[in-house]
């Protein structure tokens, strides 16, 4: 089975609000995590990553939080925009592994 | 799409016919991957390659074979397509470090 999963398959957000997308992972050996965004008809695009020696990492309008105690990962999007409508995947791996394991994804819909 | 192209982008074929999908990269990266994406399953690894003529199986490799005779090309073959192989197929490359992968635009395959 999959070692990474998302809590909710869909999320509806009002434009301008903040979005929080959650992900649970089960492999305690994983030490590197990635969030991808996939727009309709396109391949997944890298958003942000975080290593297990960090709890938080910020990018442009996005923040990833990692809680290793409960094996939980979240992606926060500030001031959600219509262009943020997409499917978001978390992925996990170990530093010495060449493969990623993906969760099933959360579909984010931004309401005008 | 990080210098990755996939061909064809769309294909409709009949059960029992052979199908070959091509992934081409312009970056000379060592690692290349083939995934399939189905509703509710996220991305699942079919096969991957860690060099010319060096390939290995992923979690859903049954019914698929791959070849890599040149660094820039990674071919995925369905020897005898079945309806269960109807899916969207993504190729990905991985720079030597860190672990994130970059995806191509995808090929939508329909097996009737």
């Amino acid at each position: 089975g999959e070692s990474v999963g998302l809590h909710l398959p869909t999320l509806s957000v009002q434009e301008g609000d903040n979005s929080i997308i959650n992900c649970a992972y089960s492999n305690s050996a994983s030490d590197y995590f990635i969030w991808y965004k996939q727009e309709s008809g396109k391949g997944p695009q890298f958003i942000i990553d975080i290593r297990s020696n960090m709890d938080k990492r910020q990018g442009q309008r996005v923040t990833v939080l990692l809680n290793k105690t409960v094996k939980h990962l979240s992606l926060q999007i500030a001031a959600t925009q219509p262009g943020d409508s997409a499917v978001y995947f978390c992925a996990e791996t170990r530093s010495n592994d060449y493969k990623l394991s993906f969760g099933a994804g959360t579909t984010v819909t931004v309401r005008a | 799409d990080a210098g990755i192209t996939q061909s064809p982008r769309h294909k409709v074929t009949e059960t029992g016919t052979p199908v070959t999908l091509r992934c081409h990269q312009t970056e000379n990266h060592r690692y290349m991957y083939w995934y399939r994406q189905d509703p509710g399953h996220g991305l699942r690894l079919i096969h991957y390659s860690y060099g010319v003529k060096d390939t290995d199986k992923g979690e859903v490799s049954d019914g698929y074979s791959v070849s890599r005779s040149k660094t820039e090309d990674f071919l995925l073959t369905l020897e005898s397509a079945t309806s269960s192989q109807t899916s969207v197929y993504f190729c990905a490359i991985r720079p030597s470090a860190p672990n994130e992968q970059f995806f191509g635009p995808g090929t939508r395959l329909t097996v009737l």
Side-chain angles (χ1 to χ4, degrees):
Chain A
E2 296 172 332
S3 62
V4 179
L6 287 163
H7 291 305
L8 294 174
T10 62
L11 179 67
S12 181
V13 182
Q14 185 69 38
E15 182 178 356
D17 287 352
N18 296 333
S19 303
I20 300 177
I21 306 166
N22 295 305
C23 175
Y25 65 96
S26 59
N27 189 347
S28 58
S30 295
D31 59 6
Y32 182 69
F33 305 88
I34 307 169
W35 280 101
Y36 284 91
K37 172 186 180 182
Q38 186 177 24
E39 296 175 276
S40 181
K42 297 184 178 180
Q45 292 179 291
F46 174 92
I47 302 174
I48 191 168
D49 59 358
I50 188 167
R51 297 196 180 278
S52 59
N53 60 354
M54 303 172 69
D55 297 324
K56 179 180 179 179
R57 190 166 188 216
Q58 289 184 293
Q60 186 175 10
R61 278 201 311 119
V62 295
T63 300
V64 56
L65 299 177
L66 176 62
N67 185 331
K68 295 180 288 293
T69 302
V70 294
K71 299 193 192 71
H72 183 267
L73 192 69
S74 69
L75 178 70
Q76 300 178 2
I77 304 173
T80 309
Q81 302 170 359
D84 295 326
S85 291
V87 180
Y88 291 82
F89 296 94
C90 63
E92 55 133 355
T93 188
R94 291 167 294 169
S95 298
N96 60 352
D97 197 351
Y98 309 133
K99 299 175 293 215
L100 293 173
S101 293
F102 289 86
T106 291
T107 299
V108 173
T109 302
V110 180
R111 307 188 305 270
Chain B
D1 292 321
I4 310 168
T5 57
Q6 293 185 232
S7 59
R9 294 293 314 279
H10 301 272
K11 185 171 183 67
V12 180
T13 191
E14 293 186 350
T15 298
T17 61
V19 176
T20 295
L21 309 183
R22 179 180 183 241
C23 176
H24 178 80
Q25 61 153 328
T26 59
E27 308 285 333
N28 272 337
H29 292 303
R30 179 181 173 191
Y31 295 95
M32 298 184 75
Y33 304 81
W34 276 108
Y35 292 88
R36 61 177 290 172
Q37 185 175 38
D38 305 290
H41 288 279
L43 288 149
R44 293 183 292 175
L45 182 65
I46 305 172
H47 281 279
Y48 66 101
S49 170
Y50 45 96
V52 173
K53 297 184 179 171
D54 292 323
T55 65
D56 206 349
K57 297 179 180 179
E59 61 181 299
V60 291
S61 60
D62 287 348
Y64 302 95
S65 62
V66 290
S67 64
R68 192 165 178 203
S69 58
K70 298 184 290 183
T71 300
E72 59 266 35
D73 290 325
F74 192 30
L75 303 181
L76 177 71
T77 298
L78 292 65
E79 300 290 347
S80 178
T82 67
S83 58
S84 64
Q85 294 176 311
T86 292
S87 187
V88 181
Y89 291 86
F90 287 99
C91 174
I93 60 172
R94 172 183 175 268
S96 57
N99 291 20
E100 70 259 26
Q101 295 177 16
F102 297 95
F103 288 81
T107 294
R108 182 172 294 276
L109 176 67
T110 302
V111 183
L112 302 176

